[in-house]
Amino acid sequence: MIFEALKPEVETIIKQDSRSTNERLLNICELLEKHISYYNWVGFYFKNGAKNELKLGPYVGEPTDHTIIPFGKGICGQVAVSNENFIVPDVSAQDNYIACSITVKAEIVIPIFVNGKNIGQIDIDSNTPNPFTKEDEHFLEFVCNQVSNLLSN
């Protein structure tokens, strides 16, 4: 499976001390978007200081107006509050969804924890209806764990 092949590449990116944190996060976004056909927008959101909102970090895909997301709003904002993974097979069925593009059909958001605190998340949009599986979820948990290690150093 593609996920197993990508894990060592994610680990290699994380270990690139000569690059900034944001460069490494962007490289992870680029890697996932390039190699997983149904990952059409890949990005990171992080807690914005002491505010109860998320701020957009590195991403690849269509530009978004959603650079700040209040906690509780949209899928990302809900994950910031719930601290749980959120897989949305059909975004049109979600009442509390922030549309980034009319082409987006599904979304998956996985939180990133550092020292037990939810400090951000990886957010992936897909233009394919219901593409995300448990394998995606487990792989993205791995990615978030790697990012957590990077951010806690």
Side-chain angles (χ1 to χ4, degrees):
M1 183 99 206
I2 186 73
F3 299 128
E4 290 306 312
L6 291 176
K7 283 181 178 181
E9 294 192 48
V10 170
E11 290 172 325
T12 298
I13 291 169
I14 293 294
K15 293 175 185 167
Q16 293 175 334
D17 294 338
S18 62
R19 294 179 181 239
S20 72
T21 297
N22 277 351
E23 286 173 321
R24 289 184 262 180
L25 294 175
L26 180 60
N27 290 155
I28 289 170
C29 294
E30 292 166 341
L31 177 76
L32 301 186
E33 191 270 339
K34 178 181 178 184
H35 291 285
I36 304 172
S37 63
Y38 53 93
Y39 285 18
N40 302 112
W41 191 97
V42 179
F44 291 96
Y45 281 94
F46 293 99
K47 188 170 188 312
N48 191 11
K51 300 176 183 174
N52 283 332
E53 64 185 22
L54 297 165
K55 185 175 182 180
L56 181 62
Y59 74 94
V60 294
E62 291 294 316
T64 179
D65 293 334
H66 306 293
T67 58
I68 300 290
I69 298 176
F71 281 16
K73 187 162 174 58
I75 307 308
C76 291
Q78 290 177 71
V79 169
V81 173
S82 73
N83 299 321
E84 295 179 3
N85 299 348
F86 200 157
I87 301 173
V88 182
D90 177 6
V91 295
S92 68
Q94 287 291 316
D95 291 337
N96 189 2
Y97 173 69
I98 302 171
C100 290
S101 167
I102 58 167
T103 61
V104 174
K105 305 291 186 227
E107 184 173 9
I108 184 169
V109 179
I110 308 293
I112 301 166
F113 295 94
V114 172
N115 299 322
K117 282 186 83 164
N118 182 346
I119 56 94
Q121 54 202 228
I122 191 168
D123 176 24
I124 298 176
D125 291 343
S126 180
N127 299 340
T128 304
N130 195 19
F132 303 116
T133 65
K134 279 286 181 198
E135 286 76 27
D136 290 276
E137 186 175 14
H138 294 311
F139 172 67
L140 294 171
E141 287 171 344
F142 166 83
V143 171
C144 288
N145 189 48
Q146 294 296 309
V147 170
S148 173
N149 292 338
L150 171 64
L151 299 176
S152 61
N153 290 333

